[in-house]
Amino acid sequence: MSLNCSLWQGNSTSVKHFAFARFSEVTEQCFLLFTLILLMFLASLTGNTLIAIAIWTNPVLHTPMYFFLANLSVLEIGYTCSVIPKMLQSLVSEAQGISREGCATQMFFFLFLGTSECCLLAAMAFDRYMAICSPLHYAIRMSRGVCVHLAMVSWGVGCMVGLGQTNYIFSLDFCGPCEIDHFFCDLPPILALACGDTSHTEAAVFVAAILCVSSPFLLIIASYGKILTSVLIMPSPEGRQKALSTCSSHLLVVTLFYGSASVTYLRPKASHSPGIDKLLALFYTVVTSMLNPIIYSLRNKEVKAALRRTLGKKKVLTRGYV
């Protein structure tokens, strides 16, 4: 679908307003997508909110591992909320546009929260490394102050990357077309609308993506390499099983998040396809956020118990009001 961008450019040669490409011209397909994505969005919000509340309200879960998990849940809530509501609106409304400022804001929060999640997953891997490879010093080296600093660094790095990348991209001029061949303001589709030769900008964005994705991932690989070495020399089969079980949920989340992000941002430009990019983006913005609470609650007895206590308290309060 081609749109007349001159209607949105005003007196300037640079586009001031963008439009998102429709998923489909068939109304029934759009409604079906709206329903599916809305259900996944609500499941993600509910699951991550319950995980965060359960951890903050249950003293037994006030440990480094669950502190980072609560931060991850908050990140997931913000991550999905930065993208999905606008996409749902575009599926059922004729008003599919977004201003240049709105697009920049969406990109900032998406990059900020996505990069913070990369760093936080690395911090969680480091926590598991300390717990398994240095259990006698774990309480000292992973004190509350250290955990708070690691979380602050994760959020801070994400904020700096989001600000830097967004400012860099939106310092460019956009001459049209104004249609973003995507469902949110992601880096590749926005760069495709910029005026002139953007090869240098694309190279800079690619290098930044490698640093933001690969650096935390290498830390995760190094941590789990040390963990595997320690687990293999444990004399007790029960100890090995317990050590591996505490890492399995985190490893699965890392695989889902980094796998989809790497395929999206680190593959060659020539292999990009708008349809495939949209499916991948749906996966790492909605599906992984929905699966994370399920993965951690199903594979962790303490989280399941805390969720039951939290839901039990809510039922008691509800009955009291009734």
Side-chain angles (χ1 to χ4, degrees), residues 5 9 13-15 18 100 172-178 193-196:
C5 297
Q9 285 180 263
T13 57
S14 182
V15 172
F18 299 100
R100 183 183 175 119
L172 303 171
D173 284 327
F174 300 94
C175 306
C178 64
L193 305 181
C195 305

Side-chain angles (χ1 to χ4, degrees), residues 59-77:
V60 71
L61 298 184
H62 291 178
T63 63
M65 181 173 73
Y66 296 115
F67 170 78
F68 290 126
L69 179 56
N71 272 266
L72 181 65
S73 295
V74 173
L75 277 173
E76 293 286 12
I77 292 169

Side-chain angles (χ1 to χ4, degrees), residues 72-200:
L72 181 65
S73 295
V74 173
L75 277 173
E76 293 286 12
I77 292 169
Y79 191 62
T80 53
C81 287
S82 69
V83 173
I84 304 305
K86 187 65 178 177
M87 182 185 67
L88 291 173
Q89 180 191 6
S90 298
L91 282 169
V92 295
S93 171
E94 292 297 325
Q96 297 174 32
I98 187 170
S99 67
R100 183 183 175 119
E101 293 77 16
C103 192
T105 302
Q106 187 183 61
M107 180 180 287
F108 163 71
F109 279 105
F110 175 74
L111 293 173
F112 163 38
L113 297 167
T115 305
S116 297
E117 184 163 342
C118 287
C119 297
L120 191 68
L121 289 172
M124 294 172 77
F126 178 73
D127 170 65
R128 292 299 81 209
Y129 159 72
M130 293 301 301
I132 294 170
C133 300
S134 187
L136 297 178
H137 304 97
Y138 178 69
I140 298 173
R141 294 180 179 176
M142 293 301 295
S143 64
R144 182 172 181 80
V146 171
C147 293
V148 170
H149 277 96
L150 286 172
M152 289 176 63
V153 168
S154 300
W155 287 81
V157 169
C159 185
M160 288 189 292
V161 169
L163 283 172
Q165 290 282 76
T166 303
N167 183 64
Y168 187 48
I169 296 298
F170 282 90
S171 64
L172 303 171
D173 284 327
F174 300 94
C175 306
C178 64
E179 187 181 72
I180 303 171
D181 198 4
H182 210 35
F183 60 83
F184 69 98
C185 295
D186 202 2
L187 287 167
I190 292 295
L191 268 177
L193 305 181
C195 305
D197 181 17
T198 60
S199 57
H200 293 295

Side-chain angles (χ1 to χ4, degrees), residues 34 39 49 64 90 216:
F34 174 86
L39 289 174
T49 301
S90 298

Side-chain angles (χ1 to χ4, degrees), residues 281-317:
L282 271 176
F283 187 81
Y284 65 74
T285 55
V286 185
V287 179
T288 56
S289 297
M290 179 188 68
L291 291 177
N292 286 355
I294 298 172
I295 292 168
Y296 278 107
S297 60
L298 287 179
R299 300 184 63 87
N300 192 302
K301 293 179 181 179
E302 291 178 327
V303 172
K304 283 193 287 188
L307 285 172
R308 282 195 292 268
R309 286 193 294 270
T310 301
L311 292 173
K313 289 177 184 177
K314 288 186 176 181
K315 288 180 181 178
V316 171
L317 288 173

